[in-house]
Structure formats: C-alpha cells, structure tokens
Amino acid sequence: MSRPAEGGPAGLADHPLTQQRDRVLAAWDDFVAVAEGADLDRPSRLPGWTGHDVCVHVGDWEGVTTLDRLLASARSGGADAGPADPAATDAANAAVVAAHRGTPRDEVLATLVRSRERLEEWF
C-alpha cells in the first residue's frame, strides 16, 4: 500500500535538502539491514527475481552507472534522457542481474553499502 505524498507539489523535494538526505540514507540503512538478515535465495515479489537479484539490481557495480545517468539526467532537466524505453531498461537490468547471478552474498551486500555511500557523497 502506498502512502500519500508528503510536502507540496514536488513531494519530498519540497523539503530541505538535509531532511531529504536524512530520510534517503535512513531508508538505505534499513534496506541494507533487511538484506543482511534475509535469505537472498528466496523469491522476491518481482516475477522471476530472487532477493539476490533485487540486491544486485540496486547495488553499485563497476561499469554500471545508474546513479551517474540519473544525476546527469536530473542536472540537464531530463533533456539528455530522451523518451523512456522500458524494453531497453528491462534489458539493461536483466544483463546486470545475469552478470552477477553467481556473485557471493558478501560481495552483493557490499555493493548495497557502496550505493548508500555514493548517495551520501552526492548529498
């Protein structure tokens, strides 16, 4: 169940940057804690994906520049992003997951910490 948007027309983006930072980093801390305690081999709510796959998807991997692409798009007002291509996005996500399917649990968890650290550096 989703919660109603907070703040003004831009939701949390209307809040001070320090408050946004604190909430985003706290959410990442919670996600990492849940992942550390979870059986990552179990299926997730995403059809065909395990918990391991979900963690791989949001982890920070060398050569996978999701955060960098998002930041570039945000800085340009989305002008460089072009129209969204769900098929290309799905294919890119599947390629990352497939490339790291056999990656050991501790390495996958470390990529989550790196993702959180990169966001903290950005803020």
Side-chain angles (χ1 to χ4, degrees), residues 57-110:
H57 173 65
V58 298
D60 182 63
W61 299 96
E62 186 175 333
V64 179
T65 59
T66 303
L67 179 60
D68 296 331
R69 283 187 291 120
L70 289 171
L71 292 175
S73 177
R75 288 181 182 120
S76 71
D80 64 334
D85 181 356
T89 300
D90 288 347
N93 292 340
V96 171
V97 169
H100 297 286
R101 186 143 284 134
T103 301
R105 175 188 176 85
D106 60 332
E107 290 180 38
V108 171
L109 294 173

Side-chain angles (χ1 to χ4, degrees), residues 1-21:
M1 172 181 247
S2 59
R3 297 185 302 191
E6 295 184 33
L12 288 177
D14 286 337
H15 291 252
L17 188 59
T18 55
Q19 186 177 0
Q20 294 175 47
R21 177 203 63 215

Side-chain angles (χ1 to χ4, degrees), residues 30-55:
D30 291 344
F31 181 78
V32 170
V34 167
E36 288 173 341
D39 178 354
L40 298 182
D41 293 326
R42 296 204 43 170
S44 75
R45 295 184 349 181
L46 297 173
W49 280 31
T50 64
H52 180 275
D53 298 335
V54 172
C55 291

